[in-house]
Amino acid sequence: MSFRKLAIASVIILLSCAKAEKEAPSGTGIPNPIESDEIIGPSHDFEINTVPIVTELRIISSEEGNTFSFDLEDDDPEVDVKIYGLSIENGEYVEITSDWAGDVGTGIAPGENKIIQWTQQGSTDYSKIKVVANDGRDRSIPYLVNLVSKQRIISDVGQMTGIRHYQSGPNLLSQTRDYIDKQFGQYGLSVDRHTFSWQSTQGINIIGNHLGSSPNSNDLLIIAHYDTVGNTPGADDNLSGTAGMLEAMRVLSQFEYSESIRFIGFDLEEQGLIGSSRYVSEIAQNQNIMGVVNFEMIGYTCRSPICANLQLADTSIYNIANPNSSTLRINFDEKGSSYVSNLGIVSVEADGDPNFRRSDHALFWDAGIPALFITDGANFRNPHYHKSSDSFDTLDFDFTTKIVKTAVATIASLAGIKTAGEAIIGI
């Protein structure tokens, strides 16, 4: 990314959440670059438990009432099963608590051909019946936010640090693609390699797909470019964003949603937003994208004299959106304020300044797709921008972790995280 200026005027709102604490950068240690025969990434250290699955819901009607049968699958030995009816009167689902017998209530063991008998004479009050199974596991937004790991982000940056440029660093560029691809696969995503030609090289966008349960589900995207200019290890620009995208993937991919979530590593951003341009023109036009979060340099805070004279010499993150993306921008702001402590978010509505367009989100704006530009300010804050000194030990990983937490909360809420399994049948 290459900022000329970032004109922050009266359109900027500093949210009520406090400025980040004046703590020393926590990104210390010796990075461990990936090698062609060793692509090792961090694994999650939290237990994953999927929601119960209700399938094969069937109904047999008789003069005595209705009998429902269904299959129930879950990792837990017992789940709670409730029954809801779609009211003909008001068109809403209401819980039906009486006149049931069989595999309904608490302590129901998973298995095939579970039976529920319903003898209610007023069953004509409902047009549909919904069977809902809940295992009582915590799948709340605060729970997901707390799963985000600073140590995993540190590990990713350490693994991929180095020049990732199609001419001056093609080997590490290729290895980084493999690393992202493997991380997606390890966490259960289907992976697509979107290849395209540009000048004398081939670019590759790496796409990890976590599909939603709703028919014709919409898409939410978390994106970051993984390439660098030709002379820098690119820790902040843009390993911070790539590692943030991967960590958001690790948490979000282990839960189920109504909408689909796609995680994308874009190639050739530094050559003029080439990868995102090809994605928008060749793939995005066939998707129904609800929103995009673009991580573009999310790792540097100004806490020393070296950056004190730069325009954005502070410790906040900038959340920049065009007018079409204002609802998404406000959602991000609110999730940061609600779920993440001590993260200063400067919320900006783009006013036509070309500096607001200098990353992959701009192509989505042009296509009428809501997108956020999440950035630390690049060369207006980071004195190492596009230099060989943009290294691992300059990053503030606490800062990056808080940004990822905010994005996880935003995307999970918009995607409609599922807390229970269900099946519906007409009566």
Side-chain angles (χ1 to χ4, degrees):
M1 188 179 77
S2 51
F3 272 40
R4 292 198 312 274
K5 64 186 182 72
L6 185 56
I8 308 282
S10 58
V11 293
I12 297 180
I13 301 172
L14 181 59
L15 298 182
S16 58
C17 52
K19 279 275 193 174
E21 298 170 332
K22 299 295 184 179
E23 55 195 11
S26 55
T28 58
I30 300 174
N32 178 28
I34 57 178
E35 300 176 0
S36 58
D37 60 348
E38 182 184 15
I39 305 175
I40 302 172
S43 60
H44 64 70
D45 53 5
F46 51 91
E47 181 182 3
I48 298 302
N49 187 282
T50 59
V51 297
I53 299 173
V54 182
T55 58
E56 302 297 329
L57 179 57
R58 301 169 291 270
I59 181 172
I60 301 173
S61 298
S62 66
E63 294 182 356
E64 291 76 22
N66 295 313
T67 298
F68 298 89
S69 65
F70 59 96
D71 295 343
L72 177 60
E73 179 181 345
D74 194 58
D75 297 331
D76 292 296
E78 296 181 345
V79 301
D80 296 343
V81 176
K82 295 182 178 181
I83 308 298
Y84 295 82
L86 181 62
S87 172
I88 294 174
E89 181 179 353
N90 61 21
E92 297 180 356
Y93 277 102
V94 295
E95 185 179 357
I96 306 171
T97 59
S98 60
D99 300 309
W100 294 101
D103 294 311
V104 64
T106 60
I108 305 302
E112 297 181 353
N113 198 32
K114 313 303 289 186
I115 299 295
I116 298 176
Q117 294 177 326
W118 186 28
T119 59
Q120 187 183 58
Q121 297 301 313
S123 60
T124 55
D125 294 340
Y126 308 101
S127 61
K128 294 181 179 180
I129 291 294
K130 177 166 64 174
V131 178
V132 177
N134 193 323
D135 58 13
R137 298 280 183 149
D138 189 355
R139 298 182 180 91
S140 64
I141 299 298
Y143 178 71
L144 268 68
V145 166
N146 288 332
L147 294 178
V148 174
S149 166
K150 180 177 72 173
Q151 292 304 317
R152 288 194 295 265
I153 295 172
I154 291 172
S155 176
D156 280 331
V157 175
Q159 292 279 333
M160 294 182 284
T161 294
I163 297 172
R164 304 174 304 283
H165 186 266
Y166 76 104
Q167 289 179 324
S168 57
N171 290 337
L172 186 56
L173 183 67
S174 176
Q175 292 162 13
T176 300
R177 291 167 181 154
D178 292 342
Y179 182 87
I180 296 170
D181 187 316
K182 184 172 183 179
Q183 291 302 297
F184 287 165
Q186 285 180 340
Y187 283 79
L189 275 62
S190 63
V191 184
D192 296 318
R193 288 196 169 210
H194 172 220
T195 60
F196 55 91
S197 297
W198 179 77
Q199 295 188 1
S200 60
T201 191
Q202 182 184 67
I204 305 177
N205 297 326
I206 311 297
I207 307 165
N209 306 288
H210 186 53
L211 300 183
S213 62
S214 297
N216 303 314
S217 64
N218 300 307
D219 295 308
L220 289 153
L221 275 55
I222 298 181
I223 66 175
H225 77 87
Y226 61 85
D227 64 314
T228 67
V229 294
N231 65 332
T232 176
D236 191 24
D237 187 11
N238 186 36
L239 275 186
S240 62
T242 302
M245 178 270 292
L246 287 175
E247 180 58 15
M249 176 276 299
R250 290 188 185 101
V251 173
L252 290 168
S253 65
Q254 303 309 301
F255 300 87
E256 299 170 51
Y257 309 87
S258 298
E259 311 296 352
S260 297
I261 307 175
R262 303 184 195 275
F263 307 88
I264 307 176
F266 280 129
D267 199 358
L268 295 176
E269 188 269 358
E270 297 289 2
Q271 306 308 313
L273 316 182
I274 305 301
S276 56
S277 175
R278 297 298 178 85
Y279 181 89
V280 169
S281 64
E282 298 173 12
I283 296 178
Q285 61 182 346
N286 298 318
Q287 299 173 325
N288 187 14
I289 300 176
M290 297 171 58
V292 179
V293 174
N294 177 27
F295 286 153
E296 173 62 80
M297 301 183 65
I298 59 170
Y300 191 84
T301 54
C302 183
R303 302 178 186 274
S304 68
I306 191 173
C307 56
N309 294 326
L310 296 179
Q311 186 174 344
L312 303 181
D314 60 22
T315 59
S316 56
I317 188 68
Y318 291 84
N319 174 20
I320 304 171
N322 69 346
N324 185 48
S325 310
S326 59
T327 299
L328 183 60
R329 173 177 59 84
I330 293 169
N331 192 308
F332 187 92
D333 294 344
E334 291 176 345
K335 296 303 182 292
S337 179
S338 298
Y339 299 115
V340 183
S341 62
N342 298 315
L343 176 64
I345 304 178
V346 178
S347 187
V348 183
E349 184 168 300
D351 59 0
D353 189 322
N355 290 294
F356 295 143
R357 297 178 48 82
R358 295 176 46 207
S359 187
D360 292 312
H361 62 282
L363 282 304
F364 293 92
W365 285 359
D366 292 344
I369 298 169
L372 301 182
F373 179 21
I374 307 299
T375 182
D376 60 21
N379 53 297
F380 291 100
R381 174 185 296 172
N382 190 341
H384 309 288
Y385 172 76
H386 282 190
K387 297 178 181 179
S388 59
S389 55
D390 182 11
S391 58
F392 178 93
D393 58 359
T394 65
L395 299 189
D396 182 344
F397 287 103
D398 287 322
F399 175 65
T400 303
T401 302
K402 292 172 184 178
I403 296 163
V404 175
K405 288 183 175 184
T406 304
V408 164
T410 302
I411 295 299
S413 63
L414 292 173
I417 187 168
K418 298 187 69 176
T419 59
E422 62 183 45
I424 299 173
I425 193 170
I427 58 174

